[in-house]
Amino acid sequence: AQSVTQPDIHITVSEGASLELRCNYSYGATPYLFWYVQSPGQGLQLLLKYFSGDTLVQGIKGFEAEFKRSQSSFNLRKPSVHWSDAAEYFCAVGAGSGGYQKVTFGTGTKLQVIP
Amino acid sequence: GAGVSQSPRYKVAKRGQDVALRCDPISGHVSLFWYQQALGQGPEFLTYFQNEAQLDKSGLPSDRFFAERPEGSVSTLKIQRTQQEDSAVYLCASSSGLAADTQYFGPGTRLTVL
């Protein structure tokens, strides 16, 4: 069975600083990988996804992530954080079988942005 | 276009009561998923529908949990004889039906069992 580890429960960055959120996954085959963001009281919004091809994936809101098979990682990055980026971020891995994605989420990283 | 909607947004139940949570997926989406998100945790898969067929219910925590999607559109998650450990946010997601497609999530229903 697949699993996801997000080692950082909480991260604080200054507005304008760069950001990297870590994600490690465990899955026997080539994974489908996702990053979602959740603001308080809101549902999950997809930031980006990796299925195949280029290992550097561009997403919405200026986010990008890099798939590194050798490290089983899919870290999320943003060069300059905005106050509106404060939210909880979830990395997820999908096992595609039977025509659907059974998605397993990490426990999330809560991002605080300070002025 | 409208996204995934869920109702009610908040539900308070006394222990032992039955509850029903509704999900309206994006129109035309074949696949529908339910997840449970406990406080401070990531969402956990409960069950999956393809049209009206429930193809995977491996994540349902007990036989008190029951989900249906009788006409292949709206889905209802029912919890019988609620327990305090059922308190969580219940998220619904839908997708087009292709394996690689994105799951689009609703805002969730926050269930509190007293």
Side-chain angles (χ1 to χ4, degrees):
Chain A
Q2 67 265 34
S3 66
V4 177
T5 301
Q6 293 182 250
D8 303 307
I9 296 172
H10 189 271
I11 282 184
T12 300
V13 300
S14 299
E15 191 169 14
S18 63
L19 171 70
E20 182 169 28
L21 302 182
R22 295 183 292 165
C23 172
N24 292 93
Y25 69 90
S26 174
Y27 183 58
T30 300
Y32 294 171
L33 295 164
F34 309 86
W35 275 99
Y36 282 88
V37 61
Q38 187 176 42
S39 299
Q42 303 297 313
L44 291 158
Q45 182 183 21
L46 181 71
L47 288 174
L48 47 79
K49 61 185 179 184
Y50 171 79
F51 286 167
S52 64
D54 193 346
T55 56
L56 185 62
V57 181
Q58 302 297 321
I60 62 171
K61 304 184 179 185
F63 286 93
E64 67 177 26
E66 186 171 11
F67 169 58
K68 293 185 177 180
R69 183 188 301 276
S70 62
Q71 298 176 21
S72 298
S73 69
F74 189 57
N75 294 348
L76 182 71
R77 301 193 294 251
K78 186 169 185 178
S80 178
V81 169
H82 188 262
W83 65 267
S84 60
D85 293 326
E88 189 152 24
Y89 292 79
F90 291 94
C91 181
V93 60
S97 64
Y100 69 100
Q101 288 288 325
K102 191 166 182 177
V103 179
T104 299
F105 288 83
T107 51
T109 297
K110 189 165 290 187
L111 174 64
Q112 181 182 11
V113 181
I114 57 176
Chain B
V4 179
S5 61
Q6 294 186 244
S7 61
R9 290 293 311 276
Y10 302 90
K11 177 70 179 177
V12 179
K14 292 182 179 178
R15 191 174 56 180
Q17 283 184 333
D18 298 347
V19 298
L21 313 179
R22 177 187 170 105
C23 172
D24 285 82
I26 293 172
S27 178
H29 274 190
V30 168
S31 298
L32 186 144
F33 305 80
W34 283 99
Y35 292 83
Q36 180 190 57
Q37 186 176 17
L39 188 65
Q41 300 296 315
E44 292 190 1
F45 172 86
L46 292 178
T47 188
Y48 162 71
F49 288 86
Q50 184 181 86
N51 296 306
E52 68 278 4
Q54 189 176 19
L55 300 186
D56 187 339
K57 52 183 180 179
S58 61
L60 296 177
S62 78
D63 59 7
R64 296 186 296 104
F65 287 70
F66 172 75
E68 60 183 7
R69 193 185 185 197
E71 298 180 357
S73 178
V74 171
S75 177
T76 304
L77 177 66
K78 298 179 179 178
I79 309 173
Q80 298 176 324
R81 304 180 305 280
T82 53
Q83 304 295 314
Q84 285 190 323
E85 61 263 28
D86 300 335
S87 295
V89 175
Y90 290 86
L91 296 166
C92 176
S94 70
S95 72
S96 68
L98 299 174
D101 192 36
T102 299
Q103 294 182 22
Y104 296 90
F105 283 81
T109 295
R110 181 178 296 278
L111 173 65
T112 302
V113 182
L114 303 177

